[in-house]
Amino acid sequence: MTDDEASAYGRYAEVPSRADLERVFFLDDEDRALIERRRGEHMKLGFGLQLVTVRWAGTFLEDPLDVPASVVDFVAEQLAIADPSCVKRYTERTKTRFDHQWEIRRVYGLKEFGTVEAELRAWVAARSWMTGDGPKAIFTDAVGWLRDRDALLPGVTTLARLVTHVRDETTRRLWRVLEGLLTVGQRYVLDQLLEVPPGSRVSDLERWRKGPVPRASGPTIIKALDQVAEVMGLGMNQLGADRLVPPRRLAELAKYGMSADASQIRRHRDGRRLATLLATVAFLEAKSVDDTLELLDLLMTTELLNKAQTAADKDKVRKHPKLAKASARLAVAVEALFDSDSWGGEEEEPRVSEVWEAIEAVISRAELRAALVLVNENVLPADAADPEDWRSELIGRYSTVSGLLKLLPKVISFGANAEGAPVLAAMRRLPGVLAYRGRLPAPLIPARLIEAAVVTGPWKRLVFGHPAFEDGSAVNRHAYAFCLLEQFHRHLKRREIYAEASTKWRNPQARLLDGEVWEAVRPDVLTALGLPEDPQPLLADHARVLDIAYREAGGRLEANAEVRIDEAGKIHLTGVKAIEEPPSLIDLRNRTTAMLPRVDLPEVILEVMSWEPRLVEAFTAASGGRSRLEDLPTSIAACLAAQSMNVGYRPIAKSGVPALERSRLSHVFQNYFRPETLSLANAPLVDWQAGLALALAQAWGGGMVAAVDGMRFVVPVPAAFARPNRKFFGSKRGMTWLNAINDQGIGRGAKIVTGTVRDSLHMVDVIFGLDGGDLPEIVVSDTGSYSDLTFGLLELLDISYRPALADLPDQKGWRIEAGADYGPLNTFARGRIDLRKVARMWPDILRVVASIYTGTVRAYDAVTMLQREGHPTALGEAIAA
């Protein structure tokens, strides 16, 4: 029996400790009364051993005495039997053992496996159908299922064979259900995706999986839209597979379809091949929409809006000297005009000719007229709106977006809430507006074609401001197109306009827990998070704690010379001087460095693999089958070494060694290395680290304190998530690798985000996406990951958030009691928290928090939904409060 099987069946692979003996093999009064009915000490001790072992192992042992000697001694001690060796006589009569087993089953209500086998098969089938978990996980939980129902465990091989058989049958059922949705024509179309069309080098499936090169350009987005139209044209999502098959099972098939070679998929039987292709195409529909909208966001952010604003700023800088000089000339003339008020008497008005003589004495009339023309050309009238010159710059790039605007609303189906509905309606009619051909000179079109209500603010001047049509009967088509596109992009980022076929740009409000689903999970989630249905007691407790904290901190500040609060309520801390490293620390560092063995990294990886078998088991084939590769751990270690050192396969590969052949390493990396397998492999390492050198690990902490921070990298190739950020990347583009560590290990969880977005939008996702271990109780971050909204979400999710904030003088405190006296902190605590707003929003707050906790909605989507252009909504303000 392996250690894993021994653990699953409750059998010790090693001698149990005294604490385990007292916890597991303790006999209560009822047990002792039953045992005392036996005659002879050997009968009592043997009966007691059978009783405690079936209770622990879940089954009767073939040899009742096949237990550690410490267990025999402990049971004998409880029964006051001085000589435990007398138990050897217990097995002299075989029938006695079976009679005792029958009585234990009767008294304690233990069931034979055969009586619950059919029910167990149904449970395993349901578990496999819903989750697709591996046989090991289902086997372990099946043992728990049997123990909960007081059923005797069968042999390990019997249960493992049952789980494997039922799981395989469930998988075949999954293939049959998906295959049954397809018509003959659809089967032919799916199979054609694996073939290489004439004149092409790859199959359509491989071309779709790769997608267009992620460049921020109009032609690239048009290519992406063409792919969306191709994939959606197959109509696979309309078959309703997601209503018949659990989403997790579809996702597993799609993962395999996205990574396996077309030739490999082609070799599968009809059921598996067609089911895989159906799930993959359904996944590609959402992925292609995601990629297209990501490219649109990249185009708008980096190529249009940013560059237009930069060009407008440069134009302002270029015009500024001329405009300043012309304004100075006009100022001289105006000053001379004001001086003319003092000429003559009170009743005598100065003549115009005299005023002009005075003006021309300081500036010529020609220079004054030229200055006036320059100012009129560059400065709007005093009653005009803000010119927003960057919008004017956008109009000159109409050719960049004209093609995609004609396709976008036709190819992708969008929805909208009340705020985004007018813009979406105008966007749907935009292709017809752009296709209009009339007698007006380009780019003018009749005003009756457009939706005038969506043209607001500075865009009005650009859309309606043509000098030849001051009555507004004609409008600028290019300005109107950009007006709509700019608003469409803004509403899309707020999720006020959304694409339901997408996974990233869909409506998060529609995904929140609601109705019967919310009512079903509400009690368990609220209990787990410690949140009440009525918020008043919780809010009162928070108000009391906040008041005490202010009074205690204010009292200490009066005696603390390192802190100063100015008249504006800003807190200033005295700078901390660096402490030089003491000689003892330098000596300790040198000694510990000398103690570290000098070994190659691949050797370290192989040794760790020998310690923890689960590390190798985490790397499963993308096909889902059992690997038949020999020396697979060696190949995995080689791939890990090549990737971690970023040296490629050449220094690692070794000709003549099958496990290290370059082709073998390439195959293993492509089929066994995926984000989910790396995440699973990280979990046992986290557990091993927590138990390694227990005293040292516990001195560091219990793993309940975590920190989240970002590392930024320049991305030298086109990528949708690579964005410009001059502060971090200079003139190049990059991304942020958001990483979580705790006080026992690094690399607990990570997420790649764009190089421009604030870390706080993704921090909660990283915390809930840890690769192993429990959720932390305390989270630390820097200012980049902080926001009041994030603070509120983590507090409601039962995680204490302790950010280390920079620029402390710029921060302000918040209070609940307006009239409370906090001494030196009175001015600092100038923010007001309205508890009535929190109470009004409490039901919605609970839904949002529960949706994040259960994984129904990503925290990033929720945070996006709770704010508008950096400002929180009413619900967001309540959560922040």
PDB file of all heavy atoms in Angstrom, residues 562 573-582:
ATOM      1  N   GLU A 562       8.677  62.513  16.891  1.00  0.00           N
ATOM      2  CA  GLU A 562       8.989  62.090  15.527  1.00  0.00           C
ATOM      3  C   GLU A 562       7.844  62.372  14.556  1.00  0.00           C
ATOM      4  O   GLU A 562       7.978  62.162  13.363  1.00  0.00           O
ATOM      5  CB  GLU A 562       9.299  60.588  15.493  1.00  0.00           C
ATOM      6  CG  GLU A 562      10.418  60.160  16.418  1.00  0.00           C
ATOM      7  CD  GLU A 562      11.744  60.808  16.047  1.00  0.00           C
ATOM      8  OE1 GLU A 562      11.983  61.023  14.836  1.00  0.00           O
ATOM      9  OE2 GLU A 562      12.532  61.107  16.957  1.00  0.00           O
ATOM     10  N   LEU A 573       6.309  62.860   9.103  1.00  0.00           N
ATOM     11  CA  LEU A 573       7.154  61.981   9.900  1.00  0.00           C
ATOM     12  C   LEU A 573       8.616  62.362   9.730  1.00  0.00           C
ATOM     13  O   LEU A 573       9.048  62.751   8.646  1.00  0.00           O
ATOM     14  CB  LEU A 573       6.960  60.520   9.501  1.00  0.00           C
ATOM     15  CG  LEU A 573       5.541  59.947   9.606  1.00  0.00           C
ATOM     16  CD1 LEU A 573       5.541  58.496   9.182  1.00  0.00           C
ATOM     17  CD2 LEU A 573       5.010  60.093  11.008  1.00  0.00           C
ATOM     18  N   THR A 574       9.367  62.232  10.803  1.00  0.00           N
ATOM     19  CA  THR A 574      10.804  62.451  10.729  1.00  0.00           C
ATOM     20  C   THR A 574      11.458  61.310   9.965  1.00  0.00           C
ATOM     21  O   THR A 574      11.119  60.141  10.185  1.00  0.00           O
ATOM     22  CB  THR A 574      11.396  62.546  12.146  1.00  0.00           C
ATOM     23  OG1 THR A 574      10.732  63.594  12.853  1.00  0.00           O
ATOM     24  CG2 THR A 574      12.897  62.832  12.083  1.00  0.00           C
ATOM     25  N   GLY A 575      12.363  61.646   9.058  1.00  0.00           N
ATOM     26  CA  GLY A 575      13.024  60.627   8.268  1.00  0.00           C
ATOM     27  C   GLY A 575      13.832  59.664   9.121  1.00  0.00           C
ATOM     28  O   GLY A 575      14.431  60.048  10.133  1.00  0.00           O
ATOM     29  N   VAL A 576      13.824  58.414   8.740  1.00  0.00           N
ATOM     30  CA  VAL A 576      14.562  57.380   9.469  1.00  0.00           C
ATOM     31  C   VAL A 576      15.918  57.180   8.814  1.00  0.00           C
ATOM     32  O   VAL A 576      16.001  56.961   7.602  1.00  0.00           O
ATOM     33  CB  VAL A 576      13.775  56.050   9.475  1.00  0.00           C
ATOM     34  CG1 VAL A 576      14.552  54.980  10.226  1.00  0.00           C
ATOM     35  CG2 VAL A 576      12.408  56.261  10.104  1.00  0.00           C
ATOM     36  N   LYS A 577      16.969  57.279   9.587  1.00  0.00           N
ATOM     37  CA  LYS A 577      18.315  57.092   9.063  1.00  0.00           C
ATOM     38  C   LYS A 577      18.647  55.604   8.982  1.00  0.00           C
ATOM     39  O   LYS A 577      18.274  54.824   9.848  1.00  0.00           O
ATOM     40  CB  LYS A 577      19.325  57.808   9.951  1.00  0.00           C
ATOM     41  CG  LYS A 577      19.146  59.325   9.976  1.00  0.00           C
ATOM     42  CD  LYS A 577      20.207  59.988  10.844  1.00  0.00           C
ATOM     43  CE  LYS A 577      20.030  61.498  10.858  1.00  0.00           C
ATOM     44  NZ  LYS A 577      21.042  62.153  11.715  1.00  0.00           N
ATOM     45  N   ALA A 578      19.355  55.254   7.930  1.00  0.00           N
ATOM     46  CA  ALA A 578      19.749  53.852   7.734  1.00  0.00           C
ATOM     47  C   ALA A 578      20.761  53.430   8.793  1.00  0.00           C
ATOM     48  O   ALA A 578      21.648  54.208   9.183  1.00  0.00           O
ATOM     49  CB  ALA A 578      20.340  53.663   6.344  1.00  0.00           C
ATOM     50  N   ILE A 579      20.618  52.215   9.272  1.00  0.00           N
ATOM     51  CA  ILE A 579      21.534  51.654  10.264  1.00  0.00           C
ATOM     52  C   ILE A 579      22.571  50.813   9.535  1.00  0.00           C
ATOM     53  O   ILE A 579      22.226  49.974   8.696  1.00  0.00           O
ATOM     54  CB  ILE A 579      20.769  50.794  11.289  1.00  0.00           C
ATOM     55  CG1 ILE A 579      19.701  51.634  11.990  1.00  0.00           C
ATOM     56  CG2 ILE A 579      21.730  50.184  12.302  1.00  0.00           C
ATOM     57  CD1 ILE A 579      18.838  50.823  12.937  1.00  0.00           C
ATOM     58  N   GLU A 580      23.823  51.033   9.842  1.00  0.00           N
ATOM     59  CA  GLU A 580      24.869  50.254   9.201  1.00  0.00           C
ATOM     60  C   GLU A 580      24.805  48.802   9.651  1.00  0.00           C
ATOM     61  O   GLU A 580      24.423  48.499  10.776  1.00  0.00           O
ATOM     62  CB  GLU A 580      26.239  50.846   9.553  1.00  0.00           C
ATOM     63  CG  GLU A 580      26.470  52.241   8.982  1.00  0.00           C
ATOM     64  CD  GLU A 580      27.888  52.725   9.261  1.00  0.00           C
ATOM     65  OE1 GLU A 580      28.668  51.940   9.864  1.00  0.00           O
ATOM     66  OE2 GLU A 580      28.202  53.856   8.880  1.00  0.00           O
ATOM     67  N   GLU A 581      25.183  47.911   8.739  1.00  0.00           N
ATOM     68  CA  GLU A 581      25.169  46.486   9.067  1.00  0.00           C
ATOM     69  C   GLU A 581      26.241  46.186  10.103  1.00  0.00           C
ATOM     70  O   GLU A 581      27.411  46.515   9.910  1.00  0.00           O
ATOM     71  CB  GLU A 581      25.420  45.655   7.815  1.00  0.00           C
ATOM     72  CG  GLU A 581      24.300  45.745   6.786  1.00  0.00           C
ATOM     73  CD  GLU A 581      24.569  44.849   5.594  1.00  0.00           C
ATOM     74  OE1 GLU A 581      25.713  44.336   5.494  1.00  0.00           O
ATOM     75  OE2 GLU A 581      23.660  44.662   4.769  1.00  0.00           O
ATOM     76  N   PRO A 582      25.850  45.546  11.205  1.00  0.00           N
ATOM     77  CA  PRO A 582      26.857  45.221  12.233  1.00  0.00           C
ATOM     78  C   PRO A 582      27.784  44.112  11.744  1.00  0.00           C
ATOM     79  O   PRO A 582      27.409  43.310  10.882  1.00  0.00           O
ATOM     80  CB  PRO A 582      25.994  44.757  13.409  1.00  0.00           C
ATOM     81  CG  PRO A 582      24.720  44.290  12.796  1.00  0.00           C
ATOM     82  CD  PRO A 582      24.494  45.135  11.588  1.00  0.00           C
TER      83      PRO A 582
END
